[in-house]
Amino acid sequence: MRWQGRRKSKNVNDRRGEGGGMRMGAGNSGMLLFLAKFIFSKFGILGILVAGGGYFVMAKSGVDPLGLFPGGATQVSKEDRGDICEDEPEVCYVLASTEEIWQKEFAKRGATYPEPKLNIFSGGVGTKGCGYANSAVGPFYCPGDRQIYLDTAFFAELQNKLGAKGDAAVAYVIAHEVGHQIQTVSGTAAQIESAKRGRSKPDKNALQVRMELQADCYAGVWGHYTQREGIMQPGDLEEALGAANAIGDDTLQRNAGRRPMPDSFTHGTSEQRMRWFANGFQSGNMDSCDTLSAAQL
């Protein structure tokens, strides 16, 4: 993708090295054992239960309880991390381009686009609205704080493990997560969550698939305008579609040695993800992304 002369977003937060939650090294494990013995000697098993409950409540909220003690937290100071937009410039360029495109699209509809923050983390991260998450979760959008979270290890996994190579593959994933911001601020996400109430697990999954495919379509709308602006280069569309193909539910399940189980799908098949991205890319129109009422996905 051609980013020369483009601006970088100021909405990227450097959360690398924070760890957070229950991510501990050997030293922290030792401290935890010491504290457990101390609490047991003073308060018995009840004290252990109360302290353990408090520990996990704090960890779920994104606070590292061991960080309350000297030397207890595994932290990296901001001075040691460098500039995130120098280390991961692609992320900052992509987010800036989504900001510009969606600002214009919302303005056409007489609305203002609230730009989401994107947090780059390593290993694990605490969120303000979705608890603690580790790198196994993958890139995600948290509707509770309206922010995007992306682990640095994901870039390598996307290319080396999933086989989706190229900067346009990374850009597609970011644009997809931004799509969830659009769903949240437009009320679509709340509509889906309301529709899920009282439904069976397969029915809830089916509704979630519709939401994820809409985010893919919104990513395609973003791709449409990046192509018009000369950001996309030959081969970039194929890279983005390759990423959509690589993370389809059926493909991921097959690659894990399992038979695809449609009732368990939460994001859509590879074919569906590619098709809805292509739909947004070709139309450049948000209105073409109505997966909620589509008779066939």
Side-chain angles (χ1 to χ4, degrees), residues 123-285:
V125 68
T127 74
K128 294 179 180 178
C130 299
Y132 172 78
N134 60 29
S135 57
V137 175
F140 68 97
Y141 172 82
C142 176
D145 59 19
R146 298 189 177 187
Q147 297 188 34
I148 299 166
Y149 294 83
L150 188 63
D151 191 327
T152 53
F154 172 73
F155 304 121
E157 181 178 2
L158 187 65
Q159 297 195 37
N160 301 330
K161 185 177 178 180
L162 300 179
K165 301 183 183 299
D167 55 358
V170 174
Y172 152 73
V173 172
I174 296 172
H176 169 92
E177 300 304 334
V178 168
H180 289 311
Q181 168 78 347
I182 297 166
Q183 293 171 322
T184 296
V185 301
S186 66
T188 301
Q191 181 182 346
I192 289 287
E193 290 306 312
S194 177
K196 286 181 181 179
R197 295 192 188 110
R199 300 288 190 95
S200 66
K201 185 65 179 294
D203 285 346
K204 289 180 180 179
N205 288 344
L207 287 168
Q208 186 64 32
V209 166
R210 288 182 178 272
M211 191 155 90
E212 297 295 338
L213 293 178
Q214 185 178 62
D216 280 333
C217 187
Y218 286 156
V221 173
W222 163 84
H224 173 90
Y225 287 104
T226 58
Q227 184 186 55
R228 283 181 53 176
E229 294 176 11
I231 296 174
M232 273 201 169
Q233 298 175 293
D236 284 339
L237 175 59
E238 289 73 19
E239 288 178 3
L241 289 170
N245 176 67
I247 57 179
D249 285 321
D250 55 337
T251 298
L252 290 174
Q253 290 185 3
R254 286 194 191 94
N255 290 343
R258 305 199 307 270
R259 181 169 60 88
M261 303 288 291
D263 283 351
S264 70
F265 291 172
T266 58
H267 285 70
T269 66
S270 293
E271 187 276 332
Q272 288 172 326
R273 300 200 71 169
M274 289 190 293
R275 178 158 45 81
W276 279 100
F277 176 87
N279 184 47
F281 186 89
Q282 292 164 5
S283 71
N285 186 351

Side-chain angles (χ1 to χ4, degrees), residues 62-81:
V63 177
D64 187 347
L66 296 178
L68 300 175
F69 300 91
T74 303
Q75 301 286 326
V76 176
S77 67
K78 188 159 184 67
E79 290 74 15
D80 293 334
R81 289 187 297 211

Side-chain angles (χ1 to χ4, degrees), residues 278-291:
N279 184 47
F281 186 89
Q282 292 164 5
S283 71
N285 186 351
M286 288 178 65
D287 296 334
S288 72
C289 298
D290 185 11
T291 58

